[in-house]
Amino acid sequence: MFAASWQLTEHRLKNMKMKTQYVCSNCGSVSIKWLGKCPDCGKWNTFAEEAYPAKNASQRQLLSGASHPERIDEINTAEHLRITTKIDEFDRVLGGGIVPGSVTLLGGAPGIGKSTLLLQVSEGVSNYGTVLYVSGEESPRQIKMRADRLGACPENLYILSEVSLENIIIRAGELAPSLIIIDSIQTIFKSGIESAPGSVTQIRECAASLVRLAKSTEASLIIVGHVTKDGNIAGPRLLEHLVDTVIYFEGEQLQNFRIIKPVKNRFGSTDEAGIFEMTSSGLQSIKNPSGYFLAGRGEEVSGSVIAPVIEGSRAILIEIQALVTKSYYGIPTRRVNGIDPNRLSLILAVLEKRAGIQISPYDVYVNVVAGMELEEPAVDLGIAAAVLSSYSDKPFGINSTIFGEIGLGGEIRSVSYADKRIIEAERLGFEKIWIPYRNFSSIPAKASKNKIKPLVNIKELLHGVF
């Protein structure tokens, strides 16, 4: 029935007169003439000419399908049973599994492992129903070769190499799958729209049609979206508003570490994070992230500090390394990996002004082990301790850890989730835990207070440790 309506609509679209408009490739704003600067998002040179049917409004009315108003007291609010993928970290990010009829947008850089993850998800969901994997980038043979390597070849998994939206909807109507995977939305095109696949108009219209398909059939939908050089999902921002969940798949291609972070989730929390290791047999959930990041740690050396950070709702201990050396050039070098360079400049300025450390004549290098990206201010003390340790050439302590935010006055400010950080540090056997003095009242009752070392300002760190 759904497929038949599409065929009727396509026939009507062919007889429609085409017009042109200018669409912003960043935000999807529409203008009847070309503009150098988008008035909505402020980006320059983002408007591109695209063709569209003159009867666009009537077209959308035809595609919207029939719907009827419902009395609010008669609407069933019982929560759907979630479909678990048997991938613990993926289910954790979604809030316990995939909700039937939900639409998830998965973004990530090329080669990061999106297709590998989705094949493993397909294997888990195939225990509950049929899975339709639609690829516009690979042939069925290529996908089968990867599935053989992963050992993910269930009977209920169907592969469709197709880029026509109308054909995808027809095949979905024939199979009635529990899960549809679109890899990727940038390769799908809708007939009747003259613009090329991947354009703003094509992405917007194809995504809207797929969302309507999922909501009308209760089939779960996962859409893969490529990311731009800025790290955002390519296409109009409207794409993120159409879906129920938006998750980003991140990590360095030369590192085995991968992480999934949700930025929108209508069925769960956005405070979770899934952590994986890429292996020859696919992605493996990391159940003990702290042990994974601290594995292979060498002997006690200067410039190495362990700091507890929060990823999602979990505390993870990671290693921060610093190297301070005499500069032989006119301008000292500042190099960072895993932290904001501006944050390092601020910390170095506070150390020089408030602690009396003459750091300006030295080159400073800071690295976060395993390719982690740290953004929270609670790692300020860890960075400062690593720099001071390398500067004085004194180890911080292999059984010590530290966290806290540094203010411009040199004061140590309190941070959130101090109890989780302390519990994780004690679980791994750390004997000294340096914390902000204002977090002393939030120490868990079961924690050993003799291990806790409160700090009021940066001078106490300098004189108490180094």
Side-chain angles (χ1 to χ4, degrees), residues 39-299:
D40 292 332
C41 66
K43 297 291 184 178
W44 287 88
N45 299 321
T46 56
F47 275 94
E49 184 178 7
E50 294 185 358
Y52 72 100
K55 299 181 180 180
N56 200 38
S58 60
Q59 170 194 354
R60 292 179 180 176
Q61 184 177 5
L62 287 171
L63 299 181
S64 62
S67 60
H68 304 280
E70 299 180 65
R71 279 178 47 180
I72 190 169
D73 58 344
E74 295 179 352
I75 298 175
N76 184 12
T77 58
E79 185 175 355
H80 291 284
L81 294 177
R82 294 177 182 261
I83 301 174
T84 58
T85 65
K86 297 186 178 180
I87 303 175
D88 296 338
E89 295 298 297
F90 189 77
D91 290 337
R92 179 190 185 97
V93 168
L94 294 180
I98 300 175
V99 175
S102 64
V103 182
T104 301
L105 178 61
L106 174 64
I112 201 68
K114 300 186 297 295
S115 299
T116 298
L117 173 64
L118 293 177
L119 275 177
Q120 294 181 246
V121 169
S122 300
E123 182 184 23
V125 177
S126 65
N127 296 322
Y128 298 89
T130 303
V131 178
L132 177 61
Y133 191 111
V134 181
S135 176
E137 302 174 349
E138 296 179 291
S139 66
R141 179 182 174 84
Q142 290 174 307
I143 299 174
K144 178 61 163 58
M145 291 172 62
R146 181 186 295 110
D148 288 337
R149 177 173 57 84
L150 300 175
C153 299
E155 295 181 357
N156 288 338
L157 174 58
Y158 290 82
I159 307 299
L160 175 63
S161 182
E162 183 59 76
V163 294
S164 170
L165 175 66
E166 289 79 9
N167 290 340
I168 292 172
I169 292 177
I170 291 173
R171 300 308 174 200
E174 294 172 352
L175 285 176
S178 299
L179 173 64
I180 304 173
I181 296 174
I182 305 295
D183 187 9
S184 65
I185 188 63
Q186 279 81 7
T187 62
I188 307 302
F189 75 90
K190 181 178 181 180
S191 62
I193 300 177
E194 295 297 324
S195 53
S199 64
V200 173
T201 303
Q202 284 285 6
I203 292 176
R204 180 180 63 241
E205 296 300 326
C206 289
S209 298
L210 289 170
V211 170
R212 286 194 295 270
L213 172 65
K215 299 302 180 182
S216 62
T217 62
E218 287 295 308
S220 302
L221 176 66
I222 299 180
I223 300 174
V224 175
H226 295 311
V227 297
T228 63
K229 61 181 180 180
D230 298 327
N232 298 318
I233 296 177
R237 302 294 294 183
L238 175 65
L239 185 61
E240 298 186 9
H241 298 298
L242 284 174
V243 301
D244 300 310
T245 306
V246 180
I247 55 181
Y248 281 86
F249 199 25
E250 303 172 350
E252 297 290 337
Q253 293 188 15
L254 299 180
Q255 295 278 355
N256 293 333
F257 165 73
R258 300 287 188 274
I259 186 169
I260 287 182
K261 293 182 178 180
V263 296
K264 173 186 177 181
N265 191 353
R266 289 174 178 164
F267 308 109
S269 172
T270 57
D271 293 332
E272 293 295 345
I275 302 175
F276 300 88
E277 179 184 12
M278 178 65 79
T279 67
S280 58
S281 58
L283 290 161
Q284 303 293 331
S285 299
I286 299 177
K287 297 182 179 180
N288 183 16
S290 297
Y292 173 81
F293 290 122
L294 298 183
R297 188 183 178 204
E299 298 179 356

Side-chain angles (χ1 to χ4, degrees), residues 385-439:
V387 170
L388 290 173
S389 174
S390 181
Y391 176 83
S392 61
D393 200 22
K394 295 180 180 179
F396 177 69
I398 196 168
N399 291 320
S400 301
T401 184
I402 188 171
F403 65 88
E405 180 182 359
I406 299 176
L408 294 180
E411 74 277 9
I412 307 302
R413 296 180 174 272
S414 61
V415 298
S416 58
Y417 303 109
D419 53 341
K420 292 184 178 181
R421 303 176 201 263
I422 293 172
I423 291 174
E424 181 67 8
E426 284 203 329
R427 185 182 71 84
L428 294 176
F430 284 85
E431 298 177 357
K432 286 185 179 179
I433 307 173
W434 299 86
I435 71 170
Y437 178 79
R438 293 174 178 83
N439 279 127

Side-chain angles (χ1 to χ4, degrees), residues 265-336:
N265 191 353
R266 289 174 178 164
F267 308 109
S269 172
T270 57
D271 293 332
E272 293 295 345
I275 302 175
F276 300 88
E277 179 184 12
M278 178 65 79
T279 67
S280 58
S281 58
L283 290 161
Q284 303 293 331
S285 299
I286 299 177
K287 297 182 179 180
N288 183 16
S290 297
Y292 173 81
F293 290 122
L294 298 183
R297 188 183 178 204
E299 298 179 356
E300 188 176 39
V301 294
S302 62
S304 175
V305 170
I306 303 300
V309 300
I310 298 297
E311 281 293 342
S313 61
R314 293 179 294 185
I316 301 173
L317 270 69
I318 53 93
E319 182 180 0
I320 300 175
Q321 296 177 333
L323 181 62
V324 181
T325 62
K326 187 71 176 179
S327 177
Y328 296 98
Y329 301 96
I331 301 177
T333 301
R334 303 285 186 261
R335 293 288 185 269
V336 299

Side-chain angles (χ1 to χ4, degrees), residues 6-18 53 55-56 58-60 62-63 166 190-193:
W6 270 97
Q7 294 174 348
L8 176 61
T9 301
E10 183 178 359
H11 173 73
R12 294 177 180 177
L13 288 176
K14 289 180 179 179
N15 298 321
M16 288 184 179
K17 183 179 178 181
M18 304 301 295
K55 299 181 180 180
N56 200 38
S58 60
Q59 170 194 354
R60 292 179 180 176
L62 287 171
L63 299 181
E166 289 79 9
K190 181 178 181 180
S191 62
I193 300 177

